[in-house]
Amino acid sequence: MGGKFEARKVTAISKINPVTSWIRFDGDIYAQPGQFVMVWLPKIGEKPFSIAELNPLGLLVVDVGPFSHALQALQVGDSLWVKGPLGQGFSITGERLLLVGGGYGSAPLLALAKKARAQNITVDVCLGARSEAGLLLSDAFLELGCQVSYATEDGSLGWHGLVTDIVEQKIQAIAYDLLCACGPTGLLSALSNICKTHRLDNQLSWEAHMRCGMGLCGSCLVSQNIDELLPVGWLACYDGPVFYQKFRD
Amino acid sequence: MGGKFEARKVTAISKINPVTSWIRFDGDIYAQPGQFVMVWLPKIGEKPFSIAELNPLGLLVVDVGPFSHALQALQVGDSLWVKGPLGQGFSITGERLLLVGGGYGSAPLLALAKKARAQNITVDVCLGARSEAGLLLSDAFLELGCQVSYATEDGSLGWHGLVTDIVEQKIQAIAYDLLCACGPTGLLSALSNICKTHRLDNQLSWEAHMRCGMGLCGSCLVSQNIDELLPVGWLACYDGPVFYQKFRD
Amino acid sequence: MKHDPDISVKLGRLSLKNPLVLASGVMGTSPELLHRVALSGAGAVTAKSCGPTLRTGHPNPVMVAWEHGLLNAIGLTNPGVDDEVKLLMDAKQRLNPLNVPLIASIFAGSAEEFGEVASIVAEAEPDLVEVNISCPNVHDDFGLPFAADAKSAAAVTRAVKQKIGGIPIAVKLAPNVPDIGRIAKSVVDAGSDVITAINTMPGMVIDVDAAQPVLHNRSGGLSGPALKPIAVRCVAEIAQFVDVPIIGTGGVLTGRDAAEMMMAGATAVGVGSALWYRGPDAIKLIKAELQDFLRENGYKSVCEIFRKAL
Amino acid sequence: MKHDPDISVKLGRLSLKNPLVLASGVMGTSPELLHRVALSGAGAVTAKSCGPTLRTGHPNPVMVAWEHGLLNAIGLTNPGVDDEVKLLMDAKQRLNPLNVPLIASIFAGSAEEFGEVASIVAEAEPDLVEVNISCPNVHDDFGLPFAADAKSAAAVTRAVKQKIGGIPIAVKLAPNVPDIGRIAKSVVDAGSDVITAINTMPGMVIDVDAAQPVLHNRSGGLSGPALKPIAVRCVAEIAQFVDVPIIGTGGVLTGRDAAEMMMAGATAVGVGSALWYRGPDAIKLIKAELQDFLRENGYKSVCEIFRKAL
Ligand SMILES: Cc1cc2nc3c(=O)[nH]c(=O)nc-3n(C[C@H](O)[C@H](O)[C@H](O)COP(=O)(O)OP(=O)(O)OC[C@H]3O[C@@H](n4cnc5c(N)ncnc54)[C@H](O)[C@@H]3O)c2cc1C
Ligand SMILES: Cc1cc2nc3c(=O)[nH]c(=O)nc-3n(C[C@H](O)[C@H](O)[C@H](O)COP(=O)(O)OP(=O)(O)OC[C@H]3O[C@@H](n4cnc5c(N)ncnc54)[C@H](O)[C@@H]3O)c2cc1C
Ligand SMILES: Cc1cc2nc3c(=O)[nH]c(=O)nc-3n(C[C@H](O)[C@H](O)[C@H](O)COP(=O)(O)O)c2cc1C
Ligand SMILES: Cc1cc2nc3c(=O)[nH]c(=O)nc-3n(C[C@H](O)[C@H](O)[C@H](O)COP(=O)(O)O)c2cc1C
Ligand code: FES
Ligand code: FES
């Protein structure tokens, strides 16, 4: 685990929807899917991003504010600085995976799906968003041979409602070995409850406000108030972002 | 090359004459014959000593003052602290070696003879001292199968006169490939001249007052005034103590 | 089988199960985190420094690991002393059953304000209050002036002492002074019960490809391995000037490092950056190594190594 | 093929072929050693500091490499200024044909004595005289008091300036002060033509098996890798306070380190401990790496990186 920044050059950048870009860098990163990097743009700032592709390093960036905007403005040949890989990622167990993504949560799940598919594991994916435009990377999951289901709050694609609804349906229909998810806290809390009910092993990647990214400043604490299953003083940047919950042995 | 002190335990200590001890320590040292260590006795001081034996580390100590006296007072099981190996040692070339030692100069030559004999190289040794008692380690050289000649200034053993006399005789009689020597500066200067005359490749281990032992403080400079063949600003602790002079190629 | 060496220490009035104290600012920002570190075996835990009002701290990047240590400019992020009191009270409830003393830490912009913060933080009844007069990340109004000068350091000490209601205090000193021993003497004369030494050393890391300092705040505080010999020297100097216990802090990563600090004159040993180098359970590892060191060298109690290298 | 970047710099009145300057005290104890370092490509070389009279220095051990740097307490070993003049004159004859400026270095126990040593050393007509007010290895009479305090630092500067006969001077500052920028300003106002920053940081390494400090002098001066961020921060701070050239010194081991120092505001770069880490030819290696760095990043001249990170 590296605590130093290293310069990386942009080798490709493409818009995958009006507010979302896929950025590819020179060189690989030796990481687990689910680990993240801190990205530094000198004079602009530093933010955490999930590793969406390992060989070569690729990131998925949704333009929601000043930093993500500056990232999308990068040109091929520009440098940015990466610290990482940081944290603990996903660890594949079993034969049948269910991946659940909300928003840019698709990013780490894509790296995970790629690794699982390379091991010939069956991977089903449920993506949720407000509307169709927010469903990210679905083509990429399909290309890997995953079965992909959608839920949109406005019904513009797939199930009209929350992604947790289709997750419930799938879990009842299919005997998954493991559920892996990344998305907003509300989604993860709901999934945690669903998995508890069904005693389904799960690995949830929690969001938190990150500052040091190195397990020292305490900023990224995910409190037991948010999920009582978490151990006391759980740090998303060091112990996580992925938390493993096992019900079966 | 280590710049840190490491504790070593004395495993054996034996007097080889009234003022000279052989001290053996736990563990080997990975070094060339001719390299040296800085020995630290807390609250007493720190001095350089030639590595006389590599596996395990052994030192030859002549009691001439407070530090060497304290060394000889060590008991089996006591600790001392060693920094090194430091400097550049001897490097064996050719089939026939002539080793010339004065005083504790026998120490690095013994490690060298052992290595050369293990390669089945013929090793002749000339030892010089004021009187018989100052001829150190001659038994050890004999045990290795070296031919050993002696010179004493008082004629108590071997040639009555300087060791340089017997060196001249041997060089004229035998076609050595290399002369290696360690001893007082006067001896080395004389040997350097003899070798120049005979165009005999040589490796001389120079003495100097050492302080840092790390090539920084400048204390161990061996000036070109002492041997014009030395390069400018030659440091015994870093560039040496062994200086290589090649006449043949 | 030999007995385990006794590693309990007395830090003034406090009894610690072992000399290892979580340093301020590292994982000490919430009751849960303080609880976690206590569970990992700390002798005592220090909360993040708090000031009169909320501070969000500096923008990112706030921390970088360079080859030989860490550099941080978190910028004294804290909720302000009113909320800190609640945090400390929650933490106390968690720590009491574990028998792990809680150390609060305070900073402020003037001696008077230090006194005000002290009187509020005293409501939480922490076991010790550390007085951070030495954070290098906040300029002018906070930090440096006090730790830099024997007189202002003493003035802060007196102000805190007056308002703290009998809770013992530890003034925390900075390494970037020419005469840390004299400053220690001055704050002890003014009533400091304990000295904590040292805070981070000011430093800057520039990324030459970016041609910019890595930290947003440009400079920051150096901690970790590179700081250790600086801290050991400060502790040894302070131990020659004053008789109060010292919490020796800076670059302790292993049990041997902790022993080094104690041989230099520390009664307790602060541990901060080690939680990055060795993970959140660093203190558990260091404690086991310290015991191994004592056992292997035939010490029956950690007190035997205290001041041994002075 | 691209042209080699121009790495010559102006250090006040002096022209250096490159910014790399041998730091005082490292291999600078004899004309032969200064000659050797000049042959290895140094832009300028600094002699070991000399004082009013001969000093043998501290007993051994005087130096140790710990995991992240060096620690030394040589103790200002020097032949005294009268013999130093001969040494410098011999060195000058060797350096002149190589076009490598010679920097003398002086220390003393009072401002007045600094003036006396300066007037004698001036006889050798060095190209620059460094005024070492900051050696941490000699207590009380020498060193610390001057570098620690803006007023005494200025007094020394004026005393030297009066007696040096027009030779430019560089006052060398210490890192263990809370306000190095202000001290720099004070010595520049008093006439210092150049600032050298920094000297070593006080430190102590204890061997826990021996339960003793490794150095005979107990504490010593920390140099090498661990010192770099401390030095870079000092240089950056000084560069904000004064306009004179700075010889940035501390932990420079590579060409990228040298670039970092210059981006922080150094005009020239001191190199000391690198001669242990990379051998006596360290400056040759660092010079080549600096040129590579400039070339790879499209800089035509080393001046383009000067102050770039400020
Ligand atoms: C472990 C981790 C992994 C991450 N991975 C990615 C990733 O792969 N791709 C990616 O685009 N972002 C990712 N993020 C989020 C990213 O770090 C930034 O927070 C995001 O880019 C916004 O920064 P900004 O400065 O552009 O906008 P800000 O000014 O910080 O935010 C603008 C607005 O967006 C809101 N906002 C900020 N972050 C989020 C969020 N995560 N979800 C919803 N609203 C938000 C803010 O509240 C604000 O209203 C990740 C965050 C974490 C903690
Ligand atoms: C590279 C190197 C290798 C060395 N290897 C060995 C070794 O293998 N065995 C060993 O016993 N010593 C060796 N020495 C010498 C050793 O380092 C000490 O100098 C010696 O032990 C004397 O230290 P002391 O404190 O006991 O006496 P000191 O007080 O230093 O000296 C006592 C007296 O002996 C004289 N003296 C000191 N050194 C020598 C010397 N080398 N020859 C003759 N007279 C001397 C002094 O001038 C003084 O008059 C070596 C020195 C060097 C530089
Ligand atoms: C991320 C971080 C935050 C810190 N915050 C504070 C703080 O708020 N108050 C304080 O007194 N010291 C703070 N410090 C300094 C530490 O308490 C400690 O003095 C210093 O880091 C040296 O110890 P170490 O080398 O073990 O980390 C902080 C250190 C780090 C690394
Ligand atoms: C062995 C040694 C001796 C030194 N002697 C002196 C000295 O006599 N005068 C001086 O001003 N600085 C002296 N210094 C300090 C260096 O000049 C330099 O400021 C310091 O080592 C930091 O640079 P570095 O990290 O490149 O070594 C000495 C440093 C070392 C390592
Ligand atoms: S971001 Fe600092 S502890 Fe996680
Ligand atoms: S002993 Fe210091 S340079 Fe050789």
Side-chain angles (χ1 to χ4, degrees):
Chain A
M1 263 195 307
K4 259 204 101 183
F5 287 104
E6 278 175 26
R8 296 262 187 174
K9 277 207 161 51
V10 175
T11 57
I13 177 160
S14 52
K15 278 237 168 338
I16 64 168
N17 76 30
V19 295
T20 311
S21 293
W22 178 265
I23 312 183
R24 191 168 271 165
F25 299 91
D26 59 344
D28 298 343
I29 187 159
Y30 300 95
Q32 287 175 301
Q35 287 189 290
F36 69 98
V37 293
M38 294 295 275
V39 174
W40 171 44
L41 286 177
K43 296 188 176 171
I44 297 175
E46 181 207 28
K47 293 263 159 128
F49 284 84
S50 298
I51 297 167
E53 192 175 30
L54 296 145
N55 321 305
L57 174 63
L59 303 178
L60 178 77
V61 178
V62 187
D63 183 350
V64 295
F67 189 81
S68 46
H69 195 74
L71 271 185
Q72 298 211 350
L74 289 174
Q75 306 288 324
V76 170
D78 284 352
S79 288
L80 58 60
W81 278 256
V82 166
K83 178 166 102 177
L86 298 166
Q88 303 296 329
F90 297 104
S91 166
I92 302 169
T93 52
E95 305 290 300
R96 248 198 130 93
L97 291 190
L98 178 62
L99 311 189
V100 186
Y104 68 73
S106 296
L109 298 179
L110 182 64
L112 177 64
K114 192 163 184 179
K115 189 170 169 188
R117 294 299 300 138
Q119 297 168 33
N120 253 321
I121 289 169
T122 306
V123 177
D124 293 352
V125 181
C126 298
L127 299 180
R130 195 143 309 179
S131 66
E132 184 179 352
L135 298 167
L136 302 177
L137 298 178
S138 74
D139 291 351
F141 286 110
L142 291 168
E143 264 172 47
L144 290 171
C146 305
Q147 208 229 61
V148 188
S149 319
Y150 310 97
T152 52
E153 291 172 39
D154 65 0
S156 49
L157 189 74
W159 173 259
H160 189 159
L162 296 175
V163 71
T164 43
D165 302 335
I166 54 173
V167 170
E168 278 271 19
Q169 293 161 19
K170 294 198 85 81
I171 290 179
Q172 275 161 15
I174 302 169
Y176 291 105
D177 295 312
L178 180 67
L179 177 149
C180 296
C182 183
T185 304
L187 170 61
L188 298 189
S189 296
L191 290 173
S192 179
N193 280 327
I194 292 171
C195 291
K196 195 155 54 169
T197 310
H198 296 273
R199 298 190 63 75
L200 174 58
D201 290 355
N202 60 83
Q203 300 180 1
L204 308 183
S205 180
W206 293 89
E207 275 195 346
H209 180 58
M210 288 190 188
R211 299 246 283 142
C212 72
M214 292 166 69
L216 293 182
C217 76
S219 158
C220 67
L221 172 71
V222 183
S223 167
Q224 292 181 312
N225 300 336
I226 292 191
D227 190 336
E228 60 184 18
L229 295 175
L230 291 167
V232 63
W234 193 81
L235 294 172
C237 75
Y238 188 94
D239 303 297
V242 180
F243 179 67
Y244 297 14
Q245 184 59 51
K246 272 186 95 66
F247 293 101
R248 315 166 184 172
D249 27 41
Chain B
M1 261 195 308
K4 259 205 102 184
F5 288 103
E6 279 176 25
R8 295 262 189 175
K9 277 206 162 51
V10 175
T11 56
I13 178 158
S14 52
K15 280 237 168 337
I16 65 168
N17 77 29
V19 294
T20 310
S21 292
W22 178 266
I23 312 183
R24 192 168 273 166
F25 299 92
D26 60 344
D28 299 344
I29 188 160
Y30 300 94
Q32 286 175 304
Q35 286 189 291
F36 68 98
V37 290
M38 294 297 273
V39 173
W40 172 43
L41 286 177
K43 297 188 174 169
I44 297 175
E46 181 208 27
K47 294 263 158 125
F49 284 83
S50 298
I51 297 167
E53 194 176 26
L54 296 146
N55 322 306
L57 174 63
L59 303 178
L60 178 76
V61 178
V62 187
D63 182 351
V64 297
F67 189 81
S68 45
H69 196 73
L71 271 186
Q72 298 211 350
L74 288 175
Q75 305 289 322
V76 170
D78 285 352
S79 288
L80 58 59
W81 278 257
V82 165
K83 178 166 103 177
L86 298 166
Q88 304 296 331
F90 297 105
S91 165
I92 301 168
T93 53
E95 306 290 300
R96 249 200 128 96
L97 291 191
L98 180 59
L99 311 189
V100 187
Y104 68 74
S106 296
L109 298 179
L110 182 64
L112 177 63
K114 191 161 182 181
K115 186 169 172 187
R117 293 298 300 138
Q119 297 169 32
N120 254 321
I121 289 169
T122 305
V123 177
D124 293 352
V125 180
C126 298
L127 300 179
R130 196 143 308 178
S131 67
E132 187 179 349
L135 298 168
L136 301 177
L137 299 178
S138 75
D139 291 351
F141 286 111
L142 290 168
E143 265 173 45
L144 290 172
C146 306
Q147 209 228 62
V148 188
S149 316
Y150 310 98
T152 52
E153 290 172 38
D154 65 0
S156 47
L157 187 76
W159 173 260
H160 189 158
L162 296 175
V163 70
T164 43
D165 301 336
I166 53 173
V167 170
E168 277 273 16
Q169 291 161 20
K170 294 199 83 83
I171 291 178
Q172 273 160 16
I174 301 168
Y176 291 104
D177 295 312
L178 180 67
L179 177 149
C180 296
C182 183
T185 305
L187 170 61
L188 298 188
S189 296
L191 290 173
S192 178
N193 280 327
I194 292 170
C195 290
K196 191 152 59 168
T197 311
H198 295 273
R199 300 190 61 73
L200 174 58
D201 289 355
N202 60 81
Q203 299 180 1
L204 308 182
S205 179
W206 293 89
E207 275 195 348
H209 181 58
M210 288 190 187
R211 299 245 282 144
C212 72
M214 294 166 68
L216 292 182
C217 76
S219 159
C220 67
L221 172 71
V222 184
S223 167
Q224 291 181 314
N225 300 336
I226 291 191
D227 190 335
E228 59 182 20
L229 295 176
L230 291 168
V232 63
W234 192 83
L235 294 172
C237 75
Y238 188 94
D239 303 299
V242 179
F243 180 67
Y244 297 14
Q245 184 58 50
K246 271 187 95 67
F247 294 101
R248 316 166 182 172
D249 31 38
Chain C
M1 213 191 79
K2 291 200 197 169
H3 281 286
D4 268 354
D6 177 11
I7 56 169
S8 66
V9 297
K10 284 257 173 216
L11 188 70
R13 274 189 259 153
L14 306 192
S15 299
L16 311 191
K17 288 186 286 187
N18 67 67
L20 304 171
V21 175
L22 176 70
S24 179
V26 173
M27 296 236 308
T29 50
S30 81
E32 284 188 53
L33 286 166
L34 290 162
H35 189 181
R36 176 178 182 173
V37 178
L39 287 171
S40 87
V45 294
T46 313
K48 170 85 183 167
S49 299
C50 79
T53 51
L54 177 147
R55 279 177 65 96
T56 51
H58 296 308
N60 268 37
V62 292
M63 167 107 75
V64 65
W66 50 288
E67 286 80 354
H68 306 280
L70 302 178
L71 190 76
N72 90 80
I74 306 282
L76 289 177
T77 306
N78 81 97
V81 66
D82 293 320
D83 282 351
E84 183 76 8
V85 165
K86 292 174 212 149
L87 188 162
L88 293 171
M89 290 190 341
D90 181 353
K92 261 196 84 168
Q93 290 202 321
R94 292 164 177 266
L95 299 176
N96 273 347
L98 301 174
N99 206 3
V100 174
L102 173 64
I103 306 175
S105 172
I106 59 170
F107 71 91
S110 67
E112 204 192 342
E113 203 178 45
F114 261 106
E116 286 159 24
V117 175
S119 69
I120 300 172
V121 94
E123 293 167 21
E125 296 179 32
D127 298 289
L128 180 70
V129 172
E130 204 166 84
V131 186
N132 176 5
I133 59 168
S134 52
C135 183
N137 291 333
V138 192
H139 308 283
D140 298 317
D141 328 334
F142 304 110
L144 276 190
F146 307 112
D149 175 59
K151 270 195 208 134
S152 16
V156 168
T157 309
R158 273 189 301 271
V160 170
K161 202 64 190 168
Q162 263 172 25
K163 298 293 185 78
I164 204 67
I167 299 171
I169 69 168
V171 174
K172 185 165 182 182
L173 302 182
N176 55 323
V177 295
D179 51 355
I180 198 164
R182 215 168 48 79
I183 294 174
K185 173 129 186 28
S186 153
V187 301
V188 167
D189 289 346
S192 194
D193 306 278
V194 172
I195 295 286
T196 303
I198 53 179
N199 213 313
T200 54
M201 177 77 193
M204 181 185 282
V205 170
I206 291 170
D207 185 293
V208 289
D209 296 312
Q212 279 298 313
V214 174
L215 298 187
H216 183 275
N217 190 50
R218 313 187 76 76
S219 68
L222 207 147
S223 65
L227 195 63
K228 197 183 67 176
I230 298 174
V232 168
R233 205 237 21 146
C234 287
V235 168
E237 184 174 327
I238 294 166
Q240 243 121 23
F241 274 78
V242 301
D243 277 328
V244 303
I246 302 167
I247 306 179
T249 306
V252 171
L253 260 57
T254 67
R256 289 172 70 90
D257 294 342
E260 187 173 357
M261 209 52 104
M262 298 186 79
M263 287 179 175
T267 295
V269 177
V271 178
S273 302
L275 278 77
W276 155 252
Y277 288 98
R278 309 192 68 190
D281 272 343
I283 289 183
K284 179 187 271 171
L285 306 173
I286 297 172
K287 194 173 77 174
E289 291 161 355
L290 177 62
Q291 274 182 312
D292 289 347
F293 170 80
L294 294 171
R295 196 180 301 109
E296 281 160 19
N297 287 273
Y299 297 110
K300 290 197 196 64
S301 149
V302 76
C303 301
E304 292 172 39
I305 66 171
F306 176 56
R307 297 178 68 101
K308 203 166 189 305
L310 290 184
Chain D
M1 214 191 77
K2 292 200 194 166
H3 281 285
D4 268 351
D6 177 9
I7 57 169
S8 66
V9 296
K10 283 258 172 215
L11 187 70
R13 275 189 258 152
L14 307 191
S15 299
L16 311 192
K17 290 186 285 187
N18 67 66
L20 303 171
V21 175
L22 176 69
S24 179
V26 173
M27 293 229 320
T29 49
S30 82
E32 283 188 52
L33 286 167
L34 290 163
H35 189 181
R36 175 178 183 176
V37 179
L39 287 171
S40 87
V45 292
T46 313
K48 170 86 183 165
S49 299
C50 79
T53 52
L54 176 145
R55 279 176 64 97
T56 51
H58 296 308
N60 268 38
V62 292
M63 169 109 72
V64 66
W66 50 288
E67 286 80 353
H68 307 280
L70 302 179
L71 190 76
N72 91 80
I74 305 283
L76 289 176
T77 307
N78 81 97
V81 66
D82 293 320
D83 282 352
E84 183 76 9
V85 166
K86 292 174 210 148
L87 187 162
L88 293 171
M89 294 198 327
D90 181 352
K92 260 196 84 166
Q93 289 201 323
R94 291 164 177 265
L95 299 176
N96 274 348
L98 303 174
N99 205 3
V100 174
L102 174 64
I103 306 175
S105 172
I106 59 171
F107 70 91
S110 66
E112 205 192 340
E113 203 180 45
F114 261 105
E116 287 160 22
V117 175
S119 70
I120 301 172
V121 92
E123 292 168 20
E125 296 179 32
D127 298 289
L128 179 70
V129 173
E130 204 166 82
V131 186
N132 176 6
I133 59 168
S134 52
C135 182
N137 291 334
V138 192
H139 308 283
D140 296 320
D141 327 334
F142 305 109
L144 276 193
F146 307 113
D149 175 61
K151 271 196 203 131
S152 16
V156 169
T157 308
R158 275 190 299 271
V160 170
K161 202 63 191 169
Q162 262 171 26
K163 297 296 185 74
I164 203 67
I167 300 171
I169 70 168
V171 174
K172 184 165 183 182
L173 302 182
N176 55 324
V177 295
D179 52 355
I180 198 165
R182 214 168 49 81
I183 294 175
K185 174 127 186 32
S186 153
V187 301
V188 167
D189 288 347
S192 194
D193 306 278
V194 172
I195 295 286
T196 303
I198 53 176
N199 212 315
T200 54
M201 177 77 193
M204 181 185 284
V205 171
I206 291 171
D207 185 294
V208 288
D209 295 312
Q212 280 296 314
V214 174
L215 298 186
H216 183 276
N217 190 51
R218 313 188 74 76
S219 68
L222 206 147
S223 65
L227 195 62
K228 197 182 66 176
I230 298 174
V232 167
R233 206 243 11 153
C234 287
V235 168
E237 183 172 328
I238 295 166
Q240 243 122 21
F241 275 78
V242 302
D243 276 330
V244 303
I246 303 167
I247 307 178
T249 306
V252 171
L253 260 57
T254 68
R256 290 172 69 89
D257 293 342
E260 188 173 356
M261 209 51 105
M262 299 185 78
M263 287 180 176
T267 297
V269 177
V271 179
S273 303
L275 279 77
W276 155 251
Y277 288 98
R278 310 193 64 190
D281 272 343
I283 289 183
K284 179 188 271 172
L285 306 174
I286 296 171
K287 194 172 79 175
E289 291 160 355
L290 177 61
Q291 274 181 312
D292 289 347
F293 169 80
L294 295 171
R295 196 181 302 108
E296 281 159 19
N297 288 273
Y299 297 111
K300 291 198 193 65
S301 149
V302 77
C303 302
E304 293 172 38
I305 66 170
F306 175 57
R307 298 178 68 102
K308 203 165 190 299
L310 291 183

